Amino acid sequence: MHVLARNLARRVSRTQVISRNAYSTQRVRDIGQPTPASHPHLMAEGEVTPGIRIEEYIGRRKKLVDLLPENSLAIISSAPVKMMTDVVPYTFRQEADYLYLTGCQQPGGVAVLSEERGLCMFMPESTPNDIAWQGEVAGVDAASEVFKAEQSYPISKLPEILSDMLRNSSKVFHNAEMASQRYTNLIEFQNSASLGKVKALSSLTHELRLTKSPAELKLMRESASIACQGLLKTMLHSKGFPDEGILSAQVEYECRVRGAQRMAFNPVVGGGPNASVIHYSRNDQRIKDGDLVLMDMGCELHGYVSDLTRTWPPCGKFSSLQEELYDLILQTNKECIKLCKPGTTIRQLNTYSTDMLCDGLMRMGILKSRRLYHQLNPTSIGHYLGMDVHDSSAVGYDRPLQPGFVITIEPGVYIPSSFNCPERFQGIGIRIEDDVLITETGYEVLTGSMPKEIKHIETLLNHHCHENATQSFASFSS
């Protein structure tokens, strides 16, 4: 009796162990990018990339086909891997149009879209050595099963199949900046180009990307929220660590730990006169006591970016001169945001901001003639925002804004140290930038949680910094 009981107990125990092991060692297929099965913490069932469902990708492709002239092709290359050294690659970022249409986040593929064939994906072929060094990648099966391509082939089949498609096409659209020699070297493609039949794909895709879907807007709100949190934490950090390089590292850390995959661009951290260099990126100077620091940053969340700028005094107090100039930029920012609504254009907003800034700069004695204004601000008031920082760049600034467009509003003044104006203003740069969604009734400021009022910034810097900031800085300075 005791022997039977022991044997039964052993069987139950062994069954439980096998059951637990079978569950815990269940293999999830790796296709080289997150899937709902491999990354359930990131993705819901039915999503191809986090937040974007397969139905949305199919809908995007249908809209592009509808824009194609009869009997035309769209060829979309993935981004290439760029090398830092002979064996070290730069971090890969997918080309926006390829990602927008396929959902594939990996290099090595070419997609072809047409009314006749639908989506045809040519996928990379990995060797065991490739997999050993770089891991699994999406292949022909993933193209059909995950990305829902109507046809899928190994990339080695591209010359044969695409040549036939090109011979029968009236026009060919492609993302020229990412063009792959796998197809540009084909005689059929070169013949099409010589006949003027090859066009820029961006003339079509950038139109589609202008208006964001609810799923895209959710990701853009999250990206903006992460950027605001990251910049706010960095602003508080600046009082104890007034150093451009440290603040650049801090803001990237704060964004990455909140889920961003990367920064949208190398942060601009300009202290003092460095802030008057619009795209300053050296970030290698200490920030002098009493100087302002301008930080232009943004992050990327699952393919969608934010773009945010604030200017503040790490010491905790604007001087009266800084306050006067800052207030002009702030009021311009706020007034331009109020004008954001359907029907307005970026060019109209730029004209308004230029007039407002010119009047203020002349009143302060900084500007003696409106003709010199471009020396203090050669930039536009804003740009379209989405999968790229300067999104839908093929669309001009005379396009009436519509609900679902996202733009930046970023007035600024950048006074070189050599500019002919009162010396007290020389070498000052100030910009205040927000991300703005155009809605049916007006606007929504996606970066509205990030303080920009002088009294709010000074209160934050003087009353909400880390208690040990002074002690930490003493250690840092020694």
Side-chain angles (χ1 to χ4, degrees), residues 113-126:
L113 192 64
S114 67
E115 184 175 16
E116 181 184 359
R117 296 195 184 214
L119 177 65
C120 178
M121 294 184 74
F122 296 91
M123 304 301 285
E125 303 164 88
S126 295

Side-chain angles (χ1 to χ4, degrees), residues 35-102:
T35 64
S38 65
H39 291 68
H41 59 291
L42 284 182
M43 301 172 65
E45 199 63 39
E47 292 180 349
V48 178
T49 56
I52 309 291
R53 297 183 58 82
I54 184 58
E55 292 83 3
E56 183 156 336
Y57 282 104
I58 293 171
R60 293 170 178 178
R61 298 195 288 259
K62 183 179 184 306
K63 288 178 182 177
L64 178 56
V65 167
D66 290 343
L67 292 177
L68 289 173
E70 187 176 356
N71 203 28
S72 294
L73 291 180
I75 304 174
I76 315 101
S77 287
S78 61
V81 173
K82 297 180 180 179
M83 302 303 291
M84 185 184 303
T85 71
D86 57 344
V87 296
V88 180
Y90 285 103
T91 301
F92 179 76
R93 182 182 188 266
Q94 187 57 281
E95 198 272 339
D97 282 338
Y98 188 86
L99 179 60
Y100 183 78
L101 294 166
T102 69

Side-chain angles (χ1 to χ4, degrees), residues 397-413:
Y397 289 166
D398 292 312
R399 176 67 56 85
L401 300 176
Q402 297 177 23
F405 287 20
V406 180
I407 64 171
T408 64
I409 294 294
E410 47 181 304
V413 61

Side-chain angles (χ1 to χ4, degrees), residues 98 108-112 120-124 153-155 157-158 161-162:
Y98 188 86
V110 175
V112 182
C120 178
M121 294 184 74
F122 296 91
M123 304 301 285
Y153 303 95
I155 196 72
K157 292 283 187 181
L158 181 142
I161 295 170
L162 184 55

Side-chain angles (χ1 to χ4, degrees), residues 33 49 72 104 170 174 215 235 320 334 340 353 388 395 410 412:
Q33 69 183 62
T49 56
S72 294
C104 181
S170 61
H174 75 136
M235 183 183 286
S320 58
K334 290 159 74 171
C340 291
S353 68
D388 290 328
V395 179
E410 47 181 304

